[in-house]
């Protein structure tokens, strides 16, 4: 949470630098989609059951192992390196087994590569089992959580096209150059460079590939998402795999679908028709839709972050209502970015939901905040209707 303002500042710096150098790597719709997925991933923590935490503490209680001293710097260093080793295997299986790829795919859908891509995270993470060894070895829970956060923060800066190869550092650390390879869909770059902080794991286990100047990276996934809907982005591989499981005839293929590589399909189903050189997804929208959605994203995100911070002091039903309305808001924004004709109708429904929720929770929100929320809903609907009109033109400020 404390890192978020710095993330936003650095994205702004990268955008300005790219424009100044004539090499802008941002597209508004793609950026909003990535950031929406990041906010949703934080919101999803409010409704998950906490299975990972229960498993970790059960493992520790079952083993009865002593906890390593948290005041030892040596233990912290070993924990940091050990976490990255576990992350390597978690990340690798996130690409090699569809059961895990179904969650991790959200991070790779962007066809651009910039700092906003780093915040493009899944809401259905399921790889916690790979970190059980750290608990078995006796590392304190708060230490594991802390080094995990540091590991994730480190990975933010490597999502950029503006930093070239860094010489000897490429042998030890994950850098923008070798991480660009990881996000590329070129056949020669697929499923490589899994490290979080250290690239040495890839070198040791044969999954390292350097970036080659003669083969520029083409970003995205081989089976395209072709959508700005952040909810669909989280579930499309789950849906497709479940659908294939029902369609294929042999039982072994039904099981293998979940534990095979993402590109594998049974021989009684048609293969994916992939073209890694295809044009970027770029649907036409009405004038002004992008800027309106961009402003909406930040309003909704501020509300989401406030809900996350205060969730512990709020009624559970209020939190669940907030998550549902905010999640639906991101869905509506995706519809506008895709140029859907029914987007204004979805916005109308959202206005009703916002107003109803504000009115129902009026005793908790108070009159001033309730008034602000309902006024925001009305202004939001008017803005949506304006950009949806064929005769409308975006204001000069936009």
């Amino acid at each position: 949470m404390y890192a978020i303002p710095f993330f936003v500042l650095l994205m702004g710096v990268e955008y300005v630098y790219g424009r100044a150098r004539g090499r802008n790597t941002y597209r508004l719709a793609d950026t909003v989609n990535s950031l929406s997925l990041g906010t949703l991933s934080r919101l999803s923590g409010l409704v998950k059951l906490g299975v990972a935490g229960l498993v970790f503490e059960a493992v520790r209680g079952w083993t009865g192992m002593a906890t390593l001293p948290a005041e030892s710097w040596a233990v912290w260093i070993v924990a940091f390196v050990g976490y990255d080793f576990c992350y390597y295997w978690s990340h690798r299986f996130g690409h090699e087994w569809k059961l895990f790829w179904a969650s991790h795919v959200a991070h790779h859908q962007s066809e651009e590569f910039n700092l906003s891509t780093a915040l493009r995270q899944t809401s259905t993470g399921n790889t916690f089992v790979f970190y059980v060894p750290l608990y078995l070895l006796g590392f304190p829970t708060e230490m594991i959580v802390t080094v995990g956060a540091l590991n994730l923060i480190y990975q933010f800066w490597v999502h950029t096209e503006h930093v070239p190869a860094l010489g000897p550092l490429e042998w030890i650390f994950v850098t923008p150059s070798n991480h660009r390879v990881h996000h590329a869909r070129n056949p020669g770059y697929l499923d490589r460079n899994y490290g979080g902080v250290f690239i040495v794991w890839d070198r040791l286990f044969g999954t390292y590939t350097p970036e080659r100047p003669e083969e520029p990276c083409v970003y995205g996934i081989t089976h395209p998402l072709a959508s700005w809907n952040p909810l669909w982005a989280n579930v499309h591989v789950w849906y497709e795999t479940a659908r294939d499981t029902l369609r294929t005839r042999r039982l072994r293929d039904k099981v293998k679908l979940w534990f095979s590589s993402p590109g594998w399909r049974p021989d009684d189903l048609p293969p994916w028709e992939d073209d890694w050189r295809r044009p970027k997804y770029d649907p036409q929208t009405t004038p002004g839709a992008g800027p309106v959605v961009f402003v909406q994203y930040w309003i909704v995100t501020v509300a989401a972050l406030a809900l996350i911070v205060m969730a512990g002091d709020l009624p559970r039903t209020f939190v669940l209502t907030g998550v549902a309305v905010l999640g639906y808001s991101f869905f509506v924004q995706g519809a506008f970015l895709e140029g859907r004709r029914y987007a204004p109708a979805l916005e109308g429904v959202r206005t009703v939901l916002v107003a109803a929720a504000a009115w129902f929770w009026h005793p908790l929100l108070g009159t001033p905040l309730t008034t602000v929320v309902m006024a925001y809903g009305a202004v939001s609907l008017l803005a949506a209707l304006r950009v949806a009109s064929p005769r409308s033109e975006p204001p000069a400020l936009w």
Side-chain angles (χ1 to χ4, degrees):
M1 291 291 291
Y2 290 127
I4 288 175
F6 298 98
F7 290 162
V8 174
L9 174 63
L10 290 172
M11 283 188 290
V13 170
E14 183 187 34
Y15 172 74
V16 172
Y17 177 82
R19 292 297 296 264
R21 294 293 300 272
R23 192 185 174 194
N24 177 35
T25 58
Y26 283 83
R27 280 191 297 151
L28 190 146
D30 181 88
T31 301
V32 169
N33 191 237
S34 292
L35 295 177
S36 297
L37 279 159
T39 306
L40 276 174
S41 74
R42 298 300 88 201
L43 273 177
S44 67
L46 299 179
V47 297
K48 288 180 179 177
L49 298 177
V51 174
L54 292 174
V55 170
F56 291 149
E57 292 308 313
V59 166
R60 174 160 290 160
W62 172 65
T63 60
M65 296 187 68
T67 300
L68 295 171
E71 64 275 10
S72 170
W73 280 106
V75 174
W76 277 93
I77 293 171
V78 174
F80 186 81
V81 175
Y83 185 96
D84 198 64
F85 177 76
C86 294
Y87 176 86
Y88 168 84
W89 290 105
S90 167
H91 198 181
R92 182 169 176 173
F93 274 89
H95 284 253
E96 295 182 356
W97 281 11
K98 195 176 293 184
L99 177 66
F100 299 130
W101 173 249
S103 291
H104 184 59
V105 66
H107 182 60
H108 283 268
Q109 294 156 345
S110 175
E111 295 177 330
E112 307 294 341
F113 191 72
N114 52 55
L115 293 178
S116 75
T117 310
L119 304 183
R120 189 184 183 97
Q121 299 293 328
T122 181
S123 298
T124 64
N126 58 359
T127 57
F128 64 86
V129 66
F130 291 94
Y131 301 97
V132 168
L134 298 176
Y135 288 83
L136 291 174
L137 291 172
F139 290 100
T141 300
E142 62 272 22
M143 183 179 291
I144 297 172
V145 171
T146 302
V147 297
L150 293 174
N151 188 287
L152 194 62
I153 290 171
Y154 175 89
Q155 293 180 49
F156 175 75
W157 82 279
V158 302
H159 292 80
T160 182
E161 293 191 56
H162 296 301
V163 177
L166 298 176
L169 292 180
E170 301 287 336
W171 285 87
I172 302 171
F173 296 104
V174 172
T175 66
S177 177
N178 56 51
H179 200 63
R180 286 193 286 268
V181 169
H182 177 70
H183 275 260
R185 64 178 185 235
N186 313 47
Y189 288 159
L190 279 179
D191 300 333
R192 314 297 288 176
N193 301 356
Y194 296 117
V197 173
F198 302 109
I199 201 67
V200 292
W201 314 123
D202 292 280
R203 293 182 179 276
L204 285 172
F205 299 112
T207 54
Y208 174 75
T209 293
E211 184 179 27
R212 297 183 289 271
E214 69 276 10
E215 187 175 0
C217 295
V218 179
Y219 302 107
I221 55 178
T222 57
H223 180 54
L225 174 66
S227 172
W228 299 130
N229 181 345
L231 302 184
W232 177 241
N234 270 295
V235 302
H236 75 108
V237 173
W238 292 103
Y239 169 81
E240 291 164 355
T241 307
R243 181 192 60 193
D244 288 347
T245 301
L246 295 174
R247 289 179 175 179
T248 191
R249 297 187 302 272
R250 293 183 292 272
L251 178 60
R252 71 172 183 272
D253 287 342
K254 293 178 183 292
V255 175
K256 186 178 178 180
L257 269 168
W258 295 94
F259 298 96
S260 63
S261 64
W264 180 85
R265 301 190 86 198
D267 55 18
D268 60 348
L269 295 179
W272 296 121
E273 295 182 3
D274 299 324
D275 179 10
W276 67 275
R277 293 188 179 89
R278 69 185 180 274
K280 295 176 181 179
Y281 178 67
D282 191 23
Q284 184 177 1
T285 60
T286 53
V292 167
V293 169
F294 185 73
V295 172
Q296 284 277 28
Y297 164 77
W298 289 109
I299 293 173
V300 174
T301 292
V302 168
L305 294 178
L307 182 65
I308 293 169
V309 169
M310 297 186 293
D313 299 321
L314 296 171
R316 184 65 174 167
T317 49
F318 179 91
V319 172
L320 294 176
T321 301
V323 170
V325 173
L326 293 169
Y328 179 72
S329 297
F330 288 123
F331 166 70
V332 175
Q333 291 171 21
F336 274 103
L337 292 176
E338 292 175 1
R340 304 293 184 181
R341 292 183 178 179
Y342 52 77
L346 296 179
E347 178 63 24
V349 172
R350 193 177 81 95
T351 302
V352 171
L353 290 175
V354 168
W359 182 260
F360 182 81
W361 290 105
H362 171 261
L364 180 64
L365 297 175
T367 300
L369 186 55
T370 299
T371 303
V372 169
V373 171
M374 297 186 76
Y376 155 72
V379 172
S380 175
L381 180 59
L382 291 174
L385 292 175
R386 175 169 171 75
V387 301
S389 170
R391 296 185 301 275
S392 67
E393 295 293 337
L397 180 61
W398 296 347

